[in-house]
């Protein structure tokens, strides 16, 4: 089932006046797709999820499940959660503490008036799918975090929902378990083919899981696209710094024109802009710009002989396979990822900055 | 002495002190009830064990003690049940729905319970008289319910507030209506709160004297506290042994109730509902 939001806004009333949590959001999640809502805390991503679930009524705009309008203030339509056939996994898992694992998973079926034999069959199948067949008689209090997580997912998939909603489902798991559950979740989603909306603040999760990602900030969608789009073509400095294992370098630079060629002035260095980047810089129409380059794209070599961009290593972090260097170039701080483990702190290094891979932004915008 | 042992000793001494302090009067009550003469502490009398007082409380038809006990249990039970069944949906609404002026509502409910009962009893007598309800169960159950309801609401509100709202949201998505959530999720999860509230309401109603005194006239509706208070005056002297024996018998239902519900009251509230 396709899920679409058009111009959806939500304003909450509080004692300090109205708070706009979601701001004219347009989204379309295609049938069977795993769509990730990514953003820092307080960006409104959970509200979008609650809007899809029907836990929150939109202040304006329209939400559709396929062709069916499920929420629209103008048309006076609001379909309550129980008639939407959605399932949700909460960050807190929200298991019913007084029920056994079996009864927790069976709960939506019992409420839906499913017959006993069918419940038995569906619960044991969901239990098998998630590898929790042996703990069906335990209570949530007796389970580990990872097991609770599985029970919560089993409860969500047991009744074959039209839409699967996940609200930061992995953030309470420890790092190792998080990585393995991530992979499993992706496999499960593929197998079931259920349209999925996944909320997270973790860009790694978004990049690894999402078919498409929408990055939210202050209740608005900043950029929407495939993980490759967001990584390779971040539309704003915010997107650029949010996506990527190590945040992108964003430093002030200036542009100067000489004899029809554009040059980038980075600290003391002057670099000729090739035609591709030059065209992108020209659009900005300002000499003072924000220059972005990912740490993994910068080349580094020991010694500074003959290099246009040279700096000093001020700090060094060993990440195992790679080393993250903090390099100061004429007062500009740059992070650089390298495989060269021979570089020491305080050493002078030459940097190779591939301008084709760089990003240019107007200053003072998002 | 190690610090750990000091702490243990202090714990023990404190617990023992509290127990003696609380149980002392009850012990005295029990001894008086079981002694042939009430002045058993004096040299002249001395303690002589007897069950005669218990026997006369239970067997003397003119004392009507079994009726009083029955009335007390029915009236208190009905009041407690009514209190909990009105207060729990109210507490659920207060904790879950975004009601404007929620705090104002809670405070005004509390304010109502601050009227001293003695200021209302005269008016209550008139109302019940007009309704022809004097000396009936409902004449006691309704004022008790009104009187204990604010406290019940406050206790239940604090219990329900501890039940994570994610459980409600999960249940809503799983297809429940608000009432189903109350019945299938909130009640079982907050069961200790429900039981403590019911027990407390029961005890308060069970101990009430003033309303019962004014609104009941004989053993058809008179409750135990009034009954015991009126033991005196029936005879020329106060029959201490009988009064104490009746008091002892009166505590039995409450003790039984507490024992039965104890397990449910002390068990953890929301173990395992959410992470942690």
């Amino acid at each position: 089932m396709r899920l679409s939001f058009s111009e959806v806004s939500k304003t909450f009333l509080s004692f300090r006046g109205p708070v706009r949590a979601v701001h004219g959001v347009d989204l379309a999640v295609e049938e069977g797709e795993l769509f990730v809502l990514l953003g820092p805390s307080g960006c409104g991503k959970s509200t979008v999820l609650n809007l899809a679930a029907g836990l929150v009524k939109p202040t304006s705009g329209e939400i559709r499940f396929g062709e069916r309008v499920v929420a629209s203030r103008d048309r006076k339509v609001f379909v309550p959660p129980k008639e939407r056939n959605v399932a949700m996994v909460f960050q807190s898992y929200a298991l019913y503490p007084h029920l056994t694992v079996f009864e927790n998973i069976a709960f939506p079926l019992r409420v839906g008036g499913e017959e006993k034999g069918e419940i038995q069959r569906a619960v044991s199948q969901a239990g098998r799918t998630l590898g929790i067949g042996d703990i069906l008689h335990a209570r949530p209090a007796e389970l580990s975090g990872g097991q609770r997580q599985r029970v919560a997912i089993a409860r969500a998939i047991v009744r074959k929902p039209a839409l699967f909603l996940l609200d930061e489902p992995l953030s309470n798991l420890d790092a190792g378990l998080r990585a393995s559950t991530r992979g499993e979740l992706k496999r499960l989603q593929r197998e079931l083919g259920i349209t999925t909306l996944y909320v997270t603040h973790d860009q790694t999760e978004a990049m690894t899981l999402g078919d498409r990602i929408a990055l939210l900030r202050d209740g608005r969608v900043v950029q929407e696209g495939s993980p490759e789009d967001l990584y390779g073509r971040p539309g704003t400095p915010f997107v650029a710094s949010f996506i990527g294992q190590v945040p992108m370098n964003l430093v002030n630079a200036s542009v100067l024109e000489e004899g029809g060629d554009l040059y980038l002035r980075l600290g003391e260095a002057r670099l000729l802009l090739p035609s591709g980047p030059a065209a992108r810089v020209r659009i900005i129409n300002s000499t003072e710009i924000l220059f972005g380059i990912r740490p993994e794209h910068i080349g580094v070599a020991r010694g500074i002989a003959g290099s246009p961009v040279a700096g000093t290593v001020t700090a060094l972090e060993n990440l195992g396979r790679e080393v993250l260097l903090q390099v100061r170039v004429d007062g500009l701080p740059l992070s650089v990822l390298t495989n060269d483990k021979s570089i020491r702190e305080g050493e002078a290094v030459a940097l190779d900055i591939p301008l084709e891979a760089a990003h240019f932004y107007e200053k003072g915008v998002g | 002495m190690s610090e750990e042992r000091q702490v243990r000793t202090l714990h023990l001494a404190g617990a023992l002190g509290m127990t003696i302090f609380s149980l002392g009067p009850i012990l005295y009550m029990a001894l008086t009830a079981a002694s042939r003469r009430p002045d058993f502490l004096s040299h002249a009398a001395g303690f002589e064990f007897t069950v005669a007082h218990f026997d006369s409380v239970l067997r003397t038809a003119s004392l009507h003690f079994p009726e009083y006990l029955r009335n007390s249990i029915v009236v208190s039970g009905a009041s407690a049940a009514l209190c909990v069944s009105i207060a729990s949906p109210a507490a659920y609404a207060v904790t879950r729905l975004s009601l404007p002026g929620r705090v104002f509502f809670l405070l005004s409910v509390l304010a109502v319970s601050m009227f001293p009962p003695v200021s209302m009893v005269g008016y209550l007598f008139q109302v019940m008289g007009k309704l022809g309800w004097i000396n009936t169960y409902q004449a006691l159950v309704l004022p008790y319910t009104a009187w204990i309801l604010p406290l019940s609401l406050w206790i239940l509100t604090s219990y329900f507030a501890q039940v994570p709202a994610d459980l409600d949201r999960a249940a809503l998505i799983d297809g429940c209506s608000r009432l189903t959530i109350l019945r299938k999720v909130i009640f079982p999860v907050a069961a200790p709160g429900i039981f403590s509230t019911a027990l407390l309401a029961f005890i308060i109603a069970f101990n009430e004297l003033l309303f019962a005194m004014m609104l009941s006239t004989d053993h058809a509706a008179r409750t135990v506290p009034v009954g015991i208070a009126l033991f005196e005056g029936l005879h020329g002297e106060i029959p201490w042994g009988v009064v104490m024996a009746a008091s002892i018998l009166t505590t039995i239902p409450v003790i039984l109730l507490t024992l039965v519900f104890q397990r449910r009251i002390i068990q953890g509230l929301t173990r395992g509902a959410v992470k942690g």
Side-chain angles (χ1 to χ4, degrees):
Chain A
M1 189 198 67
R2 185 175 190 269
L3 164 72
S4 61
F5 277 61
S6 60
E7 283 297 311
V8 175
S9 293
K10 174 65 194 179
T11 308
F12 289 105
L13 293 174
S14 79
F15 282 115
R16 273 159 289 167
V19 178
R20 206 145 196 206
V22 172
H23 224 96
V25 164
D26 280 307
L27 285 177
V29 183
E30 301 302 332
E31 168 98 46
E33 188 178 35
L34 202 167
F35 192 93
V36 177
L37 293 170
L38 175 68
S41 57
C43 71
K45 56 192 190 296
S46 289
T47 307
V48 172
L49 201 71
N50 288 338
L51 282 163
L55 293 171
V56 171
K57 280 187 191 182
T59 313
S60 65
E62 202 168 272
I63 303 170
R64 285 168 187 264
F65 282 13
E67 286 309 306
R68 177 185 178 210
V69 177
V70 293
S72 164
R73 184 142 171 181
D74 296 340
R75 300 191 190 196
K76 299 202 173 14
V77 176
F78 182 75
V79 179
K82 64 173 178 173
E83 287 161 33
R84 291 194 185 192
N85 192 25
V86 297
M88 189 153 167
V89 175
F90 295 84
Q91 181 178 2
S92 65
Y93 313 144
L95 302 179
Y96 308 117
H98 58 295
L99 300 177
T100 59
V101 168
F102 183 94
E103 286 302 325
N104 260 286
I105 301 173
F107 191 85
L109 301 177
R110 289 219 197 278
V111 172
E114 199 70 60
E115 58 149 314
K116 273 200 172 126
E118 175 57 25
I119 291 177
Q120 183 72 41
R121 197 197 57 73
V123 172
S124 29
Q125 198 199 331
R128 263 200 312 277
T129 309
L130 284 146
I132 48 171
D134 52 334
I135 53 165
L136 289 178
H137 297 290
R139 282 184 197 262
E142 300 155 21
L143 307 181
S144 70
Q147 287 173 323
R148 285 180 204 181
Q149 166 71 276
R150 281 159 189 278
V151 177
I153 295 172
R155 182 178 64 184
I157 63 169
V158 73
R159 59 179 172 154
K160 318 235 174 333
L163 181 63
F164 198 21
L165 304 168
L166 298 139
D167 191 358
E168 308 238 3
L170 305 180
S171 54
N172 282 328
L173 299 178
D174 57 53
L177 203 53
R178 196 180 304 160
S180 63
T181 312
R182 204 166 61 203
E184 220 174 309
L185 215 51
K186 175 124 184 165
R187 180 185 56 80
L188 194 65
Q189 196 268 341
R190 285 273 176 281
E191 274 173 26
L192 299 171
I194 301 171
T195 310
T196 303
L197 197 57
Y198 186 107
V199 161
T200 182
H201 64 266
D202 180 346
Q203 67 89 27
T204 314
E205 251 169 56
M207 297 296 280
T208 50
L209 277 174
D211 294 320
R212 279 190 304 141
I213 301 172
L215 183 57
L216 272 77
R217 186 193 198 185
D218 298 333
R220 297 172 196 271
V221 176
V222 182
Q223 191 172 352
E224 183 190 329
S226 67
E228 296 74 29
D229 283 341
L230 265 67
Y231 178 83
R233 286 178 289 284
T236 69
F238 172 73
V239 180
S241 58
F242 204 89
I243 304 284
Q245 283 286 6
V246 183
M248 185 190 279
N249 293 299
L250 286 167
V251 293
N252 290 325
S254 53
V255 180
L256 42 123
E257 190 159 7
E258 232 178 69
D261 285 330
L262 275 186
Y263 291 89
L264 185 76
R265 191 162 195 102
L266 197 61
E268 300 296 314
R270 206 173 86 142
L271 308 169
L272 174 67
L273 282 163
S275 60
R280 284 186 275 142
V281 170
R282 276 188 208 280
I283 299 171
I284 297 172
N285 198 20
S286 160
T287 55
E288 296 300 314
I289 61 163
L290 208 53
F291 169 76
I293 181 90
R294 293 203 180 273
E296 53 270 43
H297 292 154
I298 302 178
V300 62
R302 307 175 72 179
I304 55 172
S307 162
V309 187
T312 319
V313 178
T314 56
L316 184 149
E317 234 176 285
N318 194 339
L319 303 179
R321 198 167 68 86
E322 288 165 315
V323 181
L324 177 64
L325 307 175
Q326 300 299 332
V327 181
R328 200 157 265 277
V329 179
D330 304 324
L332 297 173
L334 291 176
S335 318
V336 179
L337 269 178
T338 176
N339 291 322
D340 186 349
K341 297 205 171 142
S342 64
I343 298 172
R344 298 277 163 260
E345 213 172 304
E347 204 167 337
V349 288
L351 300 182
D352 173 28
I353 296 179
L355 292 173
E356 297 284 358
H359 304 271
F360 309 94
Y361 302 103
E362 199 175 331
K363 265 181 138 176
V365 175
Chain B
M1 214 169 9
S2 72
E3 191 178 325
E4 199 182 322
R5 273 193 61 186
Q6 279 176 15
V7 169
R8 269 234 313 273
T9 315
L10 282 174
H11 264 260
L12 208 66
L16 211 65
M18 284 293 285
T19 312
I20 291 170
F21 181 75
S22 319
L23 290 184
I26 293 178
L27 184 71
Y28 185 70
M29 184 165 88
L31 288 174
T32 313
S35 161
R36 189 166 294 283
R37 290 181 53 175
D39 49 348
F40 63 90
L41 287 180
S42 72
H43 263 298
F47 183 79
E48 194 185 329
F49 181 79
T50 174
V51 291
H53 299 314
F54 290 98
D55 193 57
S56 70
V57 165
L58 291 174
R59 296 261 181 91
T60 313
S62 64
L63 281 182
H64 296 296
F65 182 77
E67 284 99 319
Y68 295 159
L69 198 57
R70 184 199 61 209
N71 295 343
S72 267
I73 291 172
V74 171
V75 167
S76 309
S79 307
L82 216 53
C83 267
V84 169
S85 49
I86 298 173
S88 46
Y92 183 65
V94 166
T95 52
R96 292 304 196 273
L97 308 180
S98 56
L99 301 170
R102 197 168 62 162
V103 177
F104 180 75
F105 170 71
L106 279 174
L107 288 178
S108 49
V109 166
L110 190 65
V112 169
S113 72
M114 287 176 184
F115 283 105
V118 72
S119 69
M120 292 183 290
V121 73
Y123 178 69
L124 262 180
F125 185 80
Q126 282 194 323
V127 171
M128 295 305 171
K130 284 258 162 60
L131 289 169
W133 282 3
I134 298 288
N135 208 28
T136 60
Y137 286 159
Q138 64 265 35
L140 292 178
V141 171
L142 290 179
Y144 285 176
T145 305
W147 181 49
I148 307 168
L149 199 55
L151 181 73
S152 312
L153 178 67
W154 273 74
I155 300 177
L156 284 176
T157 300
S158 74
Y159 268 98
F160 286 4
Q162 289 174 55
V163 177
D166 267 358
L167 285 186
D168 293 64
R169 304 202 294 145
L172 273 176
I173 287 175
D174 284 346
C176 293
S177 66
R178 283 284 177 186
L179 272 180
T180 321
I181 295 177
L182 192 61
R183 199 161 50 82
K184 289 197 162 175
V185 179
I186 304 294
F187 276 176
V189 173
I194 307 261
F195 284 116
S196 341
T197 309
L199 191 62
L200 208 61
F202 183 91
I203 291 171
I204 294 174
F206 202 77
N207 290 338
E208 206 281 335
L209 177 70
L210 183 64
F211 287 177
M213 182 92 96
M214 297 297 287
L215 301 174
S216 64
T217 50
D218 68 15
H219 56 86
R222 186 175 286 161
T223 58
V224 169
V226 182
I228 293 176
L230 295 183
F231 278 176
E232 38 182 307
L234 276 182
H235 314 281
E237 53 167 32
I238 299 170
W240 283 115
V242 176
V243 167
M244 293 303 176
S247 304
I248 291 283
L249 290 173
T250 307
T251 56
I252 291 174
V254 180
I255 292 175
L256 279 181
L257 264 183
T258 315
L259 286 179
V260 168
F261 289 131
Q262 186 190 31
R263 204 176 60 84
R264 293 179 185 275
I265 290 171
I266 58 176
Q267 78 190 176
L269 183 56
T270 59
R271 282 186 321 140
V274 296
K275 57 113 185 178

